[in-house]
Amino acid sequence: MGYQNLPFRFTEEKYATRLEVARALGTNLIDPIWAEILAYREKSSQKINLVDFTKTPYSICFCQLIQNKIGNVNSEGYNYKQIFKNISQETLDYQRIVNSLISKCLKSIAKANNKNVDDVSISNILREENIDPQFAYLQRYLKAFDRLNLDSLNIDENLLADFYSLLTGNPELSEFYRTADIEQKNNVLIGREYVGAPANLIESQMESLFRFVERRDLPLYVRVAIVCYVFNYVKPFSRYNYEMSILLCKAILVREIGECGVFLPIENLLSEQQLLVGTLAKEVQRTHDLTYMINVYLDILLQTIEDASNVFVSHSLNQLEEDFKEHVEEVKKESVHYEPVVEETKPTYKPVVEVEQPKVHVETFTKVSEQTLSEKELQKLTEELLETDPTLKKGQAHFYIRHREKSHFYTIEQYRKAEGCVYETARTSMDHLVLRGYYRREKVNNKKFVYTPIFKD
């Protein structure tokens, strides 16, 4: 690869540090190359109204790599929000799902503090009983979630005071921001790497951070990444800075995406890739380029949100699996009442294996195309649906557009036949359509599942 492509390679393919570029090229003599890389990045960079201890402003490079990551996180975040919003508490064990997400949150906080917490301890914390003293701080951390769910959520010092009171277990705070500097080995003035803000600068740094929180001109998850980095750079408290930083980030999420932000396990920002995060935090101190941290934090956030969405889906599938097993058991119970009479050459009885017809009337489906629209029009609607909801697969969109008559009920078997797939694919596809809010799932006589379209006013 020619030198003329190096700025693109070390920005768009990987947002590399100077040291990483030198290692990749096998030489430390890269001043001209590094200058070209910085010039390339400058075209997409912007300074933000946030400064460090030396009053130097931070900058962000919105290169194509970062823009793509922002788009991916935003898309997955929207998907998570919709799944949470559309989940039916009547058909899925909502509290069990939420507890799974909370468990991820607590385990990540423990990991960030170099502790391991087992499932038994987590269960005790959730039930508020038999709590191991070493994990009492996790119970106090969990109590802060209730504070996040209040209707009025002003992000200011009062909110931080509430969080800190809960974490310390002291409703009457005798101290707030730390008043002493954090001891560190490197005391030189040139090239100094801070492990926390000088105590006399904490208040001004936090005031600046609160002003930044109110900005809406930067993407949500970029702001979350910046707040997490800056908070742990300042370290305004003598204890619990990790926990306080995440609670502040969750407050931002709750205010913009709602209750689902409370249970999103962004604690992973502190527990995942800790060595890399620590290295890049030092790089940001030296260069004031927040892109290094944003780059890795967006990767962690994307995986975190995907995992959170999968918790809903996996629990839904487990519930469906349990319901299906119950259905099979019912069929077996009904089948044992029949005793086939067998002749020597051929059977005179054909075993009955289908479920008894439900007593309530379930209408058979009528395709929309048979009533109003042509196949060409239906195909156009299918394509439009795929464009507006990228989480759907082609078969799911194809089926929904043709099976959405009001007051009609559809089955997994109808999906299987219509889309030419196996039963398991049909079942998971219908479940996904339920999670996305297209259908409501109902059980008829505790034996059969039917799906009816949801129409929003």
Side-chain angles (χ1 to χ4, degrees):
M1 181 177 289
Y3 280 168
Q4 67 273 16
N5 293 322
L6 293 180
F8 180 91
R9 172 185 170 187
F10 291 117
T11 299
E12 306 293 1
E13 295 180 5
K14 177 183 179 180
Y15 202 85
T17 65
R18 180 188 174 102
L19 180 59
E20 288 173 331
V21 173
R23 287 175 176 172
L25 298 180
T27 177
N28 289 322
L29 304 176
I30 62 167
D31 285 351
I33 296 172
W34 185 244
E36 290 182 17
I37 293 172
L38 293 181
Y40 178 88
R41 294 176 178 180
E42 182 66 25
K43 298 174 184 177
S44 304
S45 295
Q46 69 177 66
K47 289 185 174 10
I48 62 174
N49 189 24
L50 194 63
V51 299
D52 73 346
F53 310 151
T54 65
K55 305 297 183 182
T56 305
Y58 291 108
S59 65
I60 305 173
C61 178
F62 288 98
C63 57
Q64 195 59 51
L65 173 68
I66 299 300
Q67 291 186 49
N68 290 342
K69 290 188 177 186
I70 292 171
N72 291 337
V73 173
N74 284 344
S75 177
E76 194 59 41
Y78 175 81
N79 183 34
Y80 167 75
K81 178 181 176 181
Q82 292 303 115
I83 290 176
F84 194 99
K85 177 182 176 182
N86 293 327
I87 206 73
S88 173
Q89 297 186 27
E90 296 179 359
T91 57
L92 295 174
D93 189 349
Y94 174 82
Q95 191 57 52
R96 186 172 59 180
I97 293 172
V98 167
N99 284 347
S100 293
L101 293 174
I102 292 175
S103 176
K104 291 178 179 291
C105 296
L106 298 181
K107 286 181 177 180
S108 290
I109 282 292
K111 183 178 178 180
N113 286 284
N114 298 316
K115 293 180 180 292
N116 291 317
V117 56
D118 55 42
D119 291 333
V120 173
S121 296
I122 292 291
S123 296
N124 291 339
I125 292 171
L126 294 175
R127 293 195 303 267
E128 298 186 16
E129 59 183 34
N130 302 321
I131 297 174
D132 188 327
Q134 68 170 320
F135 298 130
Y137 76 99
L138 292 179
Q139 184 192 29
R140 297 195 297 271
Y141 177 76
L142 182 56
K143 288 181 178 179
F145 283 23
D146 293 332
R147 179 64 181 84
L148 284 166
N149 270 324
L150 295 180
D151 293 335
S152 177
L153 194 62
N154 296 320
I155 300 178
D156 52 23
E157 284 188 351
N158 291 328
L159 180 64
L160 290 188
D162 289 344
F163 288 152
Y164 201 56
S165 294
L166 291 167
L167 288 173
T168 58
N170 182 11
E172 300 295 333
L173 290 176
S174 57
E175 65 172 16
F176 190 52
Y177 294 144
R178 59 181 168 82
T179 56
D181 291 347
I182 299 174
E183 294 184 7
Q184 54 192 62
K185 297 179 180 179
N186 183 6
N187 291 316
V188 298
L189 296 179
I190 299 176
R192 181 175 183 176
E193 294 175 357
Y194 290 91
V195 295
N200 65 317
L201 297 179
I202 290 176
E203 188 170 354
S204 62
Q205 284 285 300
M206 293 305 294
E207 288 176 355
S208 177
L209 187 59
F210 285 131
R211 288 193 297 271
F212 175 79
V213 164
E214 297 303 321
R215 292 183 58 173
R216 300 297 177 95
D217 58 327
L218 293 175
L220 171 60
Y221 294 100
V222 169
R223 279 180 281 139
V224 168
I226 293 173
V227 168
C228 185
Y229 163 74
V230 172
F231 197 103
N232 286 290
Y233 169 53
V234 175
K235 292 184 175 60
F237 298 97
S238 58
R239 293 185 296 164
Y240 302 118
N241 284 295
Y242 284 164
E243 292 82 357
M244 292 290 289
S245 67
I246 293 300
L247 290 172
L248 179 57
C249 289
K250 288 199 172 190
I252 298 171
L253 290 174
V254 169
R255 199 167 64 174
E256 297 198 28
I257 68 174
E259 181 189 9
C260 61
V262 176
F263 306 110
L264 191 60
I266 61 170
E267 288 81 359
N268 281 357
L269 291 173
L270 304 177
S271 62
E272 297 302 313
Q273 302 188 50
Q274 293 183 56
L275 181 60
L276 175 60
V277 167
T279 299
L280 294 179
K282 294 178 181 179
E283 190 70 24
V284 174
Q285 282 196 43
R286 288 192 291 269
T287 65
H288 302 96
D289 183 359
L290 284 166
T291 318
Y292 294 110
M293 289 300 298
I294 291 170
N295 185 36
V296 66
Y297 272 164
L298 287 177
D299 289 340
I300 296 173
L301 283 168
L302 179 62
Q303 188 61 55
T304 297
I305 301 171
E306 287 178 346
D307 290 345
S309 298
N310 288 336
V311 168
F312 285 87
V313 175
S314 63
H315 275 279
S316 175
L317 294 178
N318 288 340
Q319 183 63 47
L320 284 172
E321 187 70 30
E322 292 174 5
D323 292 339
F324 180 70
K325 288 179 180 178
E326 291 179 5
H327 166 72
V328 171
E329 290 300 317
E330 287 294 328
V331 172
K332 288 181 179 178
K333 289 179 182 179
E334 293 180 1
S335 298
V336 297
H337 294 299
Y338 295 91
E339 297 180 0
V341 178
V342 182
E343 295 181 357
E344 292 184 0
T345 56
K346 62 180 181 179
T348 59
Y349 163 71
K350 185 177 182 180
V352 178
V353 294
E354 294 193 2
V355 181
E356 176 185 332
Q357 289 298 317
K359 295 180 181 179
V360 299
H361 176 61
V362 180
E363 299 182 50
T364 56
F365 75 92
T366 303
K367 292 185 180 180
V368 176
S369 61
E370 293 177 353
Q371 294 188 0
T372 57
L373 303 177
S374 67
E375 180 58 32
K376 184 177 181 180
E377 291 171 321
L378 289 170
Q379 184 58 35
K380 182 179 180 181
L381 289 174
T382 302
E383 293 172 357
E384 289 177 355
L385 180 58
L386 288 169
E387 291 173 356
T388 57
D389 189 347
T391 70
L392 293 183
K393 295 181 180 179
K394 290 182 179 180
Q396 294 165 358
H398 182 273
F399 183 85
Y400 172 72
I401 289 298
R402 293 158 178 80
H403 301 81
R404 54 195 177 106
E405 284 294 299
K406 190 173 184 179
S407 300
H408 282 220
F409 296 84
Y410 308 105
T411 67
I412 295 172
E413 181 63 16
Q414 286 175 330
Y415 186 101
R416 186 188 70 79
K417 290 180 178 179
E419 301 306 319
C421 60
V422 298
Y423 183 88
E424 183 67 14
T425 300
R427 183 164 66 88
T428 56
S429 294
M430 290 300 289
D431 178 57
H432 184 73
L433 289 167
V434 170
L435 292 176
R436 297 295 294 165
Y438 295 100
Y439 290 110
R440 181 175 64 255
R441 183 166 67 96
E442 299 178 2
K443 182 181 285 188
V444 181
N445 284 356
N446 293 319
K447 296 178 182 179
K448 181 178 182 180
F449 286 116
V450 292
Y451 299 79
T452 185
I454 297 175
F455 293 90
K456 299 176 182 180
D457 296 331

